[in-house]
Amino acid sequence: MAETTETSTTAEQNTAAHSTAGHQATEAPTPRATSNRSTTPASEVFREYIGSRWAERADVLPPARAQAPFAAERRRRLSGAFPGKRLIVPSGAAKQRSNDTDYPYRAHSAFSYLTGWGSDSEPGAFLVGEPTAEGHEYTLYFRERAGRDSDEFYANPEIGEFWIGPRPSLAQVASDLALATRGIAAFETVEFDASTLVVREAAGDLPAGAGDEGDAGFHQFLSEMRLVKDAYEIEQMRLAVDATARGFDDVIADFPRSSQHERGERLVEGVFNTRARLDGNTVGYDTIAASGPHACILHWTRNDGPVVPGDLILMDAGIELDSYYTADITRTIPVSGRYTEVQRKIYEAVREAADAAFAIVRPGIRFREIHQTAMAVIARRTAEWGLLPVTAEEALEADNQQHRRYMVHGTSHHLGIDVHDCAKARRELYLDGILEPGMVFTIEPGLYFQPDDLTVPEEMRGIGVRIEDDILVTADGAENLSIAIPRTADDVEAWFARLNPEG
């Protein structure tokens, strides 16, 4: 990685000229550099020379992206819910990882949802809806690229083109998103008063006070808007699942290598993440590559253990596209290609719970019924195996729940632009909500028998199984978007054999 240069005096003046009084979050990023590392020339001769003799840059305007009309319709719906209110949705700032390095940037989901700007979003941008008689007039404010007559393009490592590559112009973004744009300096004209609502989660240092009481409700509404996906979102979900399926194929084909390394889980993670970068933006969340007893740790992401033949590996992974929409799939695979008798029994019980839950999905039922249906199977099977001190019926009573010892998590969560989508929605619209066509969520029951759990037979200890699929509610039922990724024990074994023909 190249050394970070110290920002020169001219760049500092340019930064100050673009700062916005009273709106601290709109100030240009200040490079986190130290003077004892600066080796960039600061002479006037250098500045004049590096700013001269550049070819003319054509400002080619792209056509509006496919998501633009869908984002416009979302903004229209938002306007209908908040007449007379000024609406501000920040993209959020880059987050520091260490010293002068940042985490890979990801815009706030509400911002991306309303603008259509995904992995190519600019940090520190704001979508502003000014109230009008007809609804709102929306404008996207962001820091436009600096000209070659400024030293920002070579001296500012956070936004300079020498450091991060070409950045779009106002006109290019306006054409791409079919949305009016203005430079970030103009954001200082935006008023903050009692009529202003802000998504505070991404607002940074924007003034507190104005609109605070309504901000939570504003953010909540934006979350609830996403409970039902539009046609563009559903297509993105299909593409994310397809890419994730290819990632699972890659992992299984690489088992002969990963099973030979003392940190084979890292190889599994790396192979899948490579597919995510090839076919998407990145992974939608940290990949879980949990082999052997690690599968009993629900969010195992250290991924530093071996992948041992004879064990199962629970892989929970999803690819996020450039639009930010992500899949979320789990398969539990025998490292040697075949399940043992005990592994198969546990696996098929989990699949039975998943299939039972999927079978009831249709418009009109409550979201929580999916979990209840899966839990009925889990209770029945664990009771049959002699693991419960009571009957299955008694365990399912609200005051008991002994079967939940072996599955403490929920069965479903909404999925979309976030892996745990719509998280700020009200309980009555989420857990107690009625299913509607266009909703997308997971079904992911599991059984986890901890290595030291004395309530289960020794041969079951250390086995963890989860099966997770992505489900779309249709007009008359449901579609399993990830059905093409093998699910039954027989199909998983055949899948392994197909990708590892030499055994």
Side-chain angles (χ1 to χ4, degrees):
M1 175 181 284
E3 286 286 329
T4 301
T5 184
E6 180 186 28
T7 305
S8 65
T9 302
T10 306
E12 290 170 352
Q13 293 171 345
N14 187 51
T15 294
H18 284 79
S19 66
T20 306
H23 297 175
Q24 297 177 17
T26 68
E27 294 183 8
T30 301
R32 291 183 289 275
T34 55
S35 58
N36 65 357
R37 290 175 51 224
S38 176
T39 57
T40 300
S43 68
E44 289 300 327
V45 172
F46 171 76
R47 289 173 184 159
E48 181 178 350
Y49 184 66
I50 198 171
S52 65
R53 299 182 65 185
W54 295 102
E56 288 293 323
R57 181 163 48 190
D59 201 16
V60 178
L61 301 184
R65 62 181 60 185
Q67 192 173 354
F70 294 93
E73 172 59 19
R74 297 165 196 161
R75 296 192 297 271
R76 187 197 65 78
R77 289 170 52 203
L78 185 66
S79 292
F82 296 96
K85 298 290 186 180
R86 181 176 297 105
L87 309 177
I88 299 180
V89 183
S91 70
K95 294 179 174 61
Q96 184 176 351
R97 183 181 186 274
S98 67
N99 192 25
D100 55 356
T101 62
D102 291 328
Y103 288 102
Y105 180 70
R106 189 186 193 280
H108 192 274
S109 295
F111 174 87
S112 182
Y113 180 72
L114 293 171
T115 63
W117 226 0
S119 64
D120 52 346
S121 297
E122 287 288 328
F126 297 88
L127 176 68
V128 177
E130 288 289 346
T132 67
E134 293 76 28
H136 287 84
E137 182 177 285
Y138 287 95
T139 303
L140 179 60
Y141 296 80
F142 71 95
R143 184 164 177 76
E144 68 275 30
R145 65 188 180 199
R148 297 288 170 78
D149 56 343
S150 161
D151 60 4
E152 180 181 275
F153 82 100
Y154 71 85
N156 189 326
E158 294 192 34
I159 57 176
E161 292 189 17
F162 262 34
W163 296 89
I164 65 171
R167 296 171 58 239
S169 69
L170 293 173
Q172 286 173 328
V173 173
S175 179
D176 186 12
L177 302 180
L179 182 61
T181 59
R182 295 189 71 184
I184 195 64
F187 188 71
E188 68 180 349
T189 63
V190 177
E191 296 183 11
F192 286 76
D193 54 30
S195 70
T196 304
L197 298 176
V198 183
V199 175
R200 292 283 169 187
E201 189 175 82
D205 295 326
L206 285 178
D212 281 358
E213 291 184 4
D215 287 346
F218 178 44
H219 197 177
Q220 182 181 77
F221 181 85
L222 282 167
S223 192
E224 292 170 356
M225 280 182 69
R226 304 197 328 246
L227 284 167
V228 176
K229 272 55 181 176
D230 59 36
Y232 176 85
E233 294 178 287
I234 293 171
E235 178 60 22
Q236 290 296 295
M237 298 301 300
R238 293 186 188 281
L239 294 173
V241 169
D242 289 346
T244 300
R246 292 190 288 274
F248 274 85
D249 282 351
D250 295 342
V251 166
I252 293 178
D254 194 61
F255 271 172
R257 181 178 71 116
S258 60
S259 62
Q260 297 301 311
H261 197 281
E262 64 181 4
R263 302 177 93 187
E265 291 174 345
R266 290 279 169 93
L267 293 178
V268 169
E269 176 186 2
V271 167
F272 184 83
N273 291 8
T274 297
R275 176 61 64 180
R277 292 295 281 166
L278 288 173
D279 288 6
N281 176 42
T282 184
V283 290
Y285 51 96
D286 288 341
T287 296
I288 298 171
S291 186
H294 288 164
C296 299
I297 302 172
L298 301 181
H299 283 175
W300 174 259
T301 55
R302 281 170 52 185
N303 299 340
D304 60 358
V307 177
V308 179
D311 283 347
L312 300 177
I313 181 168
L314 186 158
M315 186 175 170
D316 187 333
I319 290 179
E320 175 188 278
L321 303 183
D322 287 319
S323 61
Y324 288 163
Y325 288 86
T326 184
D328 181 7
I329 310 294
T330 305
R331 293 293 185 264
T332 306
I333 305 159
V335 177
S336 60
R338 298 192 68 83
Y339 296 96
T340 67
E341 183 178 349
V342 173
Q343 291 169 349
R344 177 180 281 266
K345 179 174 74 170
I346 297 169
Y347 184 92
E348 287 295 278
V350 172
R351 184 174 68 86
E352 181 186 356
D355 290 350
F358 176 76
I360 72 162
V361 177
R362 64 184 185 280
I365 72 164
R366 292 194 181 277
F367 188 69
R368 65 164 57 250
E369 293 179 51
I370 301 167
H371 174 72
Q372 293 168 344
T373 301
M375 287 302 93
V377 175
I378 296 297
R380 184 170 66 252
R381 290 303 181 199
T382 52
E384 288 175 358
W385 298 339
L387 308 185
L388 305 183
V390 296
T391 67
E393 292 73 21
E394 290 170 327
L396 288 167
E397 293 176 7
D399 291 337
N400 290 331
Q401 302 290 300
Q402 289 91 341
H403 59 291
R404 297 299 302 280
R405 178 185 180 112
Y406 313 111
M407 181 184 155
V408 298
H409 62 79
T411 302
S412 298
H413 61 78
H414 281 268
L415 181 68
I417 203 168
D418 287 332
V419 66
H420 291 158
D421 211 24
C422 316
K424 293 189 179 296
R426 287 166 289 175
R427 182 185 181 93
E428 57 264 33
L429 295 182
Y430 198 125
L431 186 58
D432 293 322
I434 304 299
L435 297 194
E436 300 178 43
M439 288 183 169
V440 178
F441 49 78
T442 65
I443 291 180
E444 50 177 312
L447 281 170
Y448 314 91
F449 300 123
Q450 303 295 333
D452 58 350
D453 190 342
L454 301 182
T455 69
V456 300
E458 187 173 357
E459 66 268 19
M460 286 185 172
R461 296 174 197 166
I463 295 177
V465 173
R466 181 163 65 249
I467 302 171
E468 179 179 18
D469 287 290
D470 299 344
I471 309 303
L472 168 67
V473 182
T474 62
D476 55 1
E479 177 187 351
N480 184 341
L481 299 177
S482 47
I483 193 65
I485 304 176
R487 298 176 70 256
T488 71
D490 287 344
D491 287 347
V492 170
E493 290 179 347
W495 184 26
F496 187 100
R498 174 172 57 83
L499 295 172
N500 293 279
E502 296 181 4

